[in-house]
């Protein structure tokens, strides 16, 4: 993929991921948490499902099962664990744990996909993770919610590997639509059974749901899956470190939250980690190309 296009798409998807925390926080004044995310993803799945029904759909029960599993992991498990974690830990701490995902993706990619990563790339992932930790405030407590936060990262990392392994079997828009629909329906059930539903309909509430469903779900997921299908999952997932950084910035813009000095320090480490993970491939490629030219 063209590097400029790749960079643009990375900024689009990670900024939408990050801003959804601030927009979602606004929405919690009108909705109970699981009901909000359930409405978000069910609506997004229905809209996209109506749009992609003429595109190539899965032809076997096994393929539909794969889509359902991705939806359970990528949408229901990740979002469910995040909101359950928020009962006992802060949003910042939950974000820190959730965005351990790139480190886990590198581990699963090494173990199950046979992908080889250099030491400098492992260092880049760790540096990026430290950057996320610093960006979100230097603190993390071990509570029940910590387990749910780890669960969100685990579910997301497994979903990333499954999308890389199975994604070529599906049209990217079909994959996006039905994984959101399956996950959204499960979240709606959770919202009606695991919490006391709250629903206050106002123009702001409607705007929040539409923004989360269309921009932060349809556009964001489609872009993310496209990037995963056209690149190495570990390298691509390293850019997820940008999402909490954009989350802090959107909190400043939309909610008036103060941006502390540690945000800038953490941001520098995030970019350093992304650089180490993504650009250490170039020397090896150049050496390989020179060797091929010499042999010919």
């Amino acid at each position: 993929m063209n590097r400029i296009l790749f960079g643009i798409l990375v900024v689009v998807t990670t900024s939408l991921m990050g801003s959804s925390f601030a927009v979602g926080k606004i929405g919690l004044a009108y909705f109970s948490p699981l009901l909000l995310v359930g409405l978000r993803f069910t609506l997004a799945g229905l809209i996209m499902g109506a749009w992609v029904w003429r595109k190539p759909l899965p032809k076997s029960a096994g393929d539909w099962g794969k889509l359902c599993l991705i939806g359970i992991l990528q949408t229901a498990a990740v979002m469910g664990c995040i909101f359950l974690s928020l009962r006992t830990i802060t949003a910042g701490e939950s974000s820190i744990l959730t965005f351990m995902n790139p480190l886990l993706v590198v581990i699963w990619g090494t173990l199950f996909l046979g992908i080889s990563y250099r030491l400098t790339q492992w260092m880049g992932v760790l540096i990026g993770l430290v950057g996320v930790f610093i960006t979100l405030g230097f603190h993390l407590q071990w509570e029940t919610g910590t387990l749910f936060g780890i669960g969100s990262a685990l579910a997301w990392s497994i979903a990333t590997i499954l999308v890389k392994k199975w994604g070529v079997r599906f049209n990217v828009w079909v994959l996006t639509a039905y994984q959101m629909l399956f996950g959204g329906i499960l979240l709606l059930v959770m919202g009606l059974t695991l919490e006391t539903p709250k629903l206050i309909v106002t123009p702001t509430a409607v705007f929040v749901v539409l923004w989360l469903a269309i921009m932060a779900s349809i556009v964001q997921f489609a872009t993310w899956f496209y990037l995963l299908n056209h690149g190495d999952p570990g390298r691509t997932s390293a850019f997820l470190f940008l999402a909490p950084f954009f989350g802090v910035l959107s909190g400043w813009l939309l909610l008036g939250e103060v941006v502390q000095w540690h945000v800038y320090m953490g941001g520098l480490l995030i970019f350093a980690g992304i650089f180490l993970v993504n650009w250490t491939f170039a020397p090896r490629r150049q050496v390989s190309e020179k060797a091929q030219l010499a042999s010919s």
Side-chain angles (χ1 to χ4, degrees), residues 160-176:
T160 298
I161 294 299
L162 293 182
V163 169
K164 181 61 181 179
K165 186 176 179 63
W166 296 338
V168 293
R169 304 169 68 95
F170 309 107
N171 176 279
V172 65
W173 295 104
V174 171
L175 171 64
T176 303

Side-chain angles (χ1 to χ4, degrees), residues 1 6 164 226-233 236:
M1 189 189 306
F6 182 86
K164 181 61 181 179
Y226 178 82
L227 290 171
L228 286 179
N229 282 327
H230 288 78
D232 173 81
T236 303

Side-chain angles (χ1 to χ4, degrees), residues 100-150:
M100 287 172 54
N101 167 45
L103 176 58
L104 295 175
V105 169
V106 170
I107 295 172
W108 305 147
T110 301
L111 294 176
F112 300 112
L113 298 182
I115 300 174
S116 178
Y117 297 99
R118 294 182 179 181
L119 177 60
T120 49
Q121 291 172 292
W122 285 93
M123 291 174 59
V125 171
L126 292 174
I127 289 172
L129 186 62
V130 171
V132 172
F133 180 76
I134 292 175
T135 298
L136 295 168
F138 292 99
H139 59 282
L140 183 65
Q141 301 177 17
W142 185 262
E143 303 284 353
T144 303
T146 306
L147 297 177
F148 285 113
I150 294 173

Side-chain angles (χ1 to χ4, degrees), residues 32 62 196 227 271 292:
S32 49
T196 302
L227 290 171
F271 285 112
Q292 290 177 1

Side-chain angles (χ1 to χ4, degrees), residues 240-263:
L240 287 175
F241 288 132
L242 286 172
F245 188 66
F246 281 122
V248 172
L249 292 180
S250 63
W252 170 62
L253 290 171
L254 298 177
L255 303 174
E257 297 176 349
V258 178
V259 181
Q260 303 290 341
W261 65 269
H262 57 77
V263 174

Side-chain angles (χ1 to χ4, degrees), residues 186-268:
L186 181 56
L187 283 167
L188 276 180
V189 173
M190 293 170 62
L192 295 173
T193 57
L194 299 180
E195 64 184 7
T196 302
K198 179 178 74 173
L199 175 60
I200 303 173
V201 179
T202 68
T204 300
V206 172
F207 175 80
V208 166
V209 172
L210 291 177
W211 176 271
L212 291 175
I214 296 173
M215 296 303 298
S217 298
I218 294 175
V219 175
Q220 182 256 302
F221 268 115
T223 305
W224 176 243
F225 288 149
Y226 178 82
L227 290 171
L228 286 179
N229 282 327
H230 288 78
D232 173 81
R235 296 173 66 186
T236 303
S237 292
F239 284 97
L240 287 175
F241 288 132
L242 286 172
F245 188 66
F246 281 122
V248 172
L249 292 180
S250 63
W252 170 62
L253 290 171
L254 298 177
L255 303 174
E257 297 176 349
V258 178
V259 181
Q260 303 290 341
W261 65 269
H262 57 77
V263 174
Y264 300 103
M265 179 179 176
L268 290 175

